[in-house]
Amino acid sequence: MIEDLQLETLINVVYEYYGFDFGSYSRASLKRRVDRIYQLDGFQRFSDFLSKIRSEPEYYKRLVEEITVNVTEMFRDPSFYKILKDEVLPNLAAKPFIRIWHAGCSTGEEVFSMAILLKEANLLQKAIIYATDINAKVLERAKKGVFGLQLIKQYAENYRNSGGKNDFSNYYIANYGVAKFNDEFSERMVFSQHNLVSDGSFNEFDLILCRNVLIYFDKDLQERAITLFDGSLSTLGYLALGSKETLKFASISDKYVQVNKEKVWRKLK
Amino acid sequence: MEETKVVGKFDVVILGGSAGSLQVLMKILPLLNVQLPFAFVIVLHRKSTEDKTLEQLIDLKSTVNVREVEDKVLLVPGNIYIAPSDYHLLFEKDNYISLDASEKVNYSRPSIDVSFESAAEIYKSKVLGILLSGANADGTKGMQIIKEMGGTIIAQDPETAETPFMPLNAIKFAKPDYILTVEEIIDFINSIQ
């Protein structure tokens, strides 16, 4: 494993050369991610690693892409999707227009899951999903709506466990080992790069999902990101976090009420 | 083990296990001292759907308080912390736990190696790592690192393990400080000052 001091040096170099601040990321996880790419790319000396980051912007991009975690699946945590379907969407249904923000959408599996729920609730046509991530590469993949066919069996099982009643295979076309999800879903999505560390609010939303992103931030940055979500959420809108993340310690928590003990909070004022 | 043996100070005791380790844990928990002078972290491999059941089971069996693990919870001595399924459990400075949903390690998330290594980085010699029954190589590398950093490692005596591969692998490659039966593990934990 790389040394603490080396990690701090890297954080400073990245900030100095590229203006990106990893200083508020959880150290234990960041250290593992940096060590992973250091080993993966076969470096022997940390100074070589640093000078490559300094001198090659393309390599810096790779560093960011490899540091950010992009492990995701469709209908991850089925009980969470059940709450979306049974509690959240019915309460948004009366709105003339539904705006949703997926912050940290990675390769898009959860965005397409959301779109399927919207379609089944007959809300897809009046909804728009803004899906953002810091990593441009995963956004390119997300846009395509193409996922490995070998994963679909698990996704279909998650879908059924979340209360899905339809034939999951209606939602995609299988070909050459991949599943391409229907265009009616991606037509309702807007993908763009957004950085929770430095970018601000860009719209007002009825539902914001940010799942398993805050775990990589320290408490100060978590607080900042939650404040950003709060400022981007309409009254009576919903904020959804990952299954081990909480709003409990956030300064804005008294404005929110938790929905059915799941990681969904409704903004009351 | 001698009755009078006094074991050194530990800030964190981590117990890792896989196949065949749950019943061992169920034997250990009811016999633990109520006032443990360290934080007790449990990292078990299991299916992702079994989260609540495992927590309830452990809570039921245990004399020690079980705290729910969420991201950035504070580690407090005298409590049990169970790594949630589908997350790696890591240790931060200032005694915080953080979670990480990145790739599986040794086909496992939570991975015992990941938690062992992270604990060793933060708590150095104040870590006790215990590896129980299992069919997987997870835990061995983490034990090596705990040892390198001055901590202490124990493997369950493979003769007493339902699935001996995991402790055997650790004995072969990590040279544990102790190889103990379940009863001896309980005595060891209870004699920690």
Side-chain angles (χ1 to χ4, degrees):
Chain A
M1 191 72 86
I2 58 166
E3 303 288 322
D4 287 351
L5 196 61
Q6 292 174 325
L7 182 64
E8 298 309 313
T9 311
L10 177 133
I11 291 170
N12 288 336
V13 162
V14 166
Y15 186 67
E16 194 183 322
Y17 281 74
Y18 300 98
F20 187 81
D21 190 4
F22 277 115
S24 304
Y25 275 55
S26 280
R27 282 300 187 278
S29 177
L30 180 66
K31 198 171 172 185
R32 279 190 73 226
R33 300 306 285 177
V34 172
D35 190 67
R36 179 174 163 273
I37 179 169
Y38 182 76
Q39 308 289 349
L40 212 61
D41 291 352
F43 287 100
Q44 301 292 328
R45 293 190 331 189
F46 203 77
S47 55
D48 294 342
F49 184 46
L50 283 181
S51 78
K52 196 169 172 76
I53 295 166
R54 267 194 220 105
S55 58
E56 296 178 28
E58 279 305 307
Y59 190 73
Y60 161 71
K61 264 176 76 183
R62 170 173 165 75
L63 177 78
V64 173
E65 285 161 6
E66 289 298 326
I67 285 176
T68 55
V69 171
N70 292 297
V71 176
T72 178
E73 56 186 80
M74 291 188 81
F75 293 96
R76 180 184 197 167
D77 308 324
S79 63
F80 166 74
Y81 281 91
K82 203 166 175 359
I83 290 287
L84 280 187
K85 180 191 166 99
D86 296 342
E87 301 280 336
V88 175
L89 293 187
N91 281 323
L92 297 179
K95 292 196 162 257
F97 199 70
I98 302 170
R99 285 190 185 87
I100 298 171
W101 177 18
H102 262 274
C105 69
S106 188
T107 40
E109 282 81 345
E110 296 207 9
V111 188
F112 280 85
S113 309
M114 185 76 232
I116 289 171
L117 288 190
L118 288 166
K119 181 178 165 64
E120 293 184 352
N122 285 319
L123 299 173
L124 186 60
Q125 289 316 310
K126 64 172 179 178
I128 186 147
I129 309 177
Y130 293 82
T132 64
D133 202 281
I134 181 187
N135 180 339
K137 201 165 142 190
V138 293
L139 288 172
E140 283 309 311
R141 281 179 55 196
K143 269 178 205 167
K144 297 194 173 94
V146 171
F147 305 114
L149 206 51
Q150 77 281 7
L151 301 168
I152 292 290
K153 194 174 158 233
Q154 177 65 48
Y155 295 170
E157 194 182 320
N158 288 352
Y159 166 75
R160 282 191 300 274
N161 289 339
S162 74
K165 299 273 186 290
N166 292 348
D167 185 347
F168 195 62
S169 65
N170 287 340
Y171 296 134
Y172 60 84
I173 293 163
N175 219 341
Y176 301 107
V178 296
K180 161 103 177 73
F181 279 75
N182 302 346
D183 287 340
E184 61 175 330
F185 299 125
S186 39
E187 279 162 8
R188 309 308 304 167
M189 299 170 188
V190 177
F191 291 93
S192 76
Q193 215 171 346
H194 183 276
N195 180 350
L196 289 170
V197 179
S198 54
D199 294 341
S201 179
F202 59 96
N203 210 330
E204 187 171 272
F205 300 95
D206 306 299
L207 168 60
I208 298 175
L209 303 99
C210 182
R211 307 213 316 132
N212 296 316
V213 176
L214 298 182
I215 52 176
Y216 303 111
F217 296 169
D218 71 12
K219 290 179 133 192
D220 292 342
L221 184 54
Q222 287 183 348
E223 168 70 20
R224 250 164 65 202
I226 288 171
T227 306
L228 169 64
F229 297 145
D230 179 56
S232 311
L233 199 60
S234 59
T235 307
L236 299 180
Y238 293 89
L239 175 61
L241 302 179
S243 65
K244 296 296 164 189
E245 293 164 336
T246 185
L247 212 59
K248 214 163 31 188
F249 307 112
S251 60
I252 49 89
S253 66
D254 58 344
K255 293 198 273 179
Y256 287 77
V257 59
Q258 195 168 2
V259 181
N260 285 9
K261 294 185 177 168
E262 282 291 329
K263 294 308 175 92
V264 182
W265 286 263
R266 191 169 203 194
K267 183 177 179 174
L268 297 183
K269 55 190 180 193
Chain B
M1 183 182 297
E2 295 163 44
E3 281 292 312
T4 51
K5 184 167 174 68
V6 171
V7 182
K9 273 175 116 78
F10 295 106
D11 289 333
V12 178
V13 174
I14 315 178
L15 187 139
S18 190
S21 64
L22 188 59
Q23 48 272 49
V24 176
L25 189 62
M26 292 300 130
K27 268 198 218 166
I28 295 175
L29 289 172
L31 298 172
L32 289 182
N33 289 345
V34 181
Q35 302 272 342
L36 297 177
F38 51 82
F40 192 42
V41 177
I42 297 171
V43 183
L44 288 195
H45 295 164
R46 63 189 184 279
K47 277 196 177 161
S48 54
T49 44
E50 293 166 354
D51 240 10
K52 279 275 179 282
T53 345
L54 181 70
E55 274 180 23
Q56 283 162 359
L57 204 61
I58 289 176
D59 204 13
L60 205 68
K61 276 277 178 186
S62 174
T63 51
V64 183
N65 194 14
V66 178
R67 295 260 181 119
E68 193 194 352
V69 171
E70 286 193 322
D71 180 55
K72 307 291 182 297
V73 296
L74 198 58
L75 272 182
V76 180
N79 292 289
I80 291 179
Y81 300 83
I82 303 156
S85 58
D86 270 335
Y87 291 88
H88 297 303
L89 185 152
L90 301 169
F91 299 86
E92 300 282 349
K93 294 200 177 86
D94 307 325
N95 296 315
Y96 285 102
I97 283 178
S98 65
L99 298 174
D100 174 323
S102 63
E103 296 80 0
K104 291 182 178 180
V105 174
N106 303 316
Y107 311 100
S108 310
R109 193 177 48 227
S111 149
I112 302 164
D113 273 347
V114 169
S115 292
F116 276 179
E117 181 171 7
S118 175
E121 292 252 321
I122 297 289
Y123 296 103
K124 321 279 185 208
S125 65
K126 301 293 182 61
V127 180
L128 171 63
I130 306 172
L131 194 65
L132 303 180
S133 169
N136 176 308
D138 198 19
T140 295
K141 185 167 172 261
M143 278 181 127
Q144 290 167 342
I145 294 166
I146 292 177
K147 214 174 164 185
E148 273 168 34
M149 305 292 267
T152 304
I153 51 177
I154 297 175
Q156 182 184 352
D157 183 347
E159 298 269 318
T160 69
E162 187 187 290
T163 314
F165 182 85
M166 208 152 86
L168 274 175
N169 196 65
I171 290 164
K172 193 168 166 194
F173 296 108
K175 304 270 182 292
D177 299 291
Y178 303 91
I179 298 164
L180 304 179
T181 66
V182 177
E183 289 68 29
E184 288 168 338
I185 291 173
I186 296 166
D187 287 346
F188 193 100
I189 296 174
N190 281 335
S191 63
I192 296 172
Q193 295 289 296

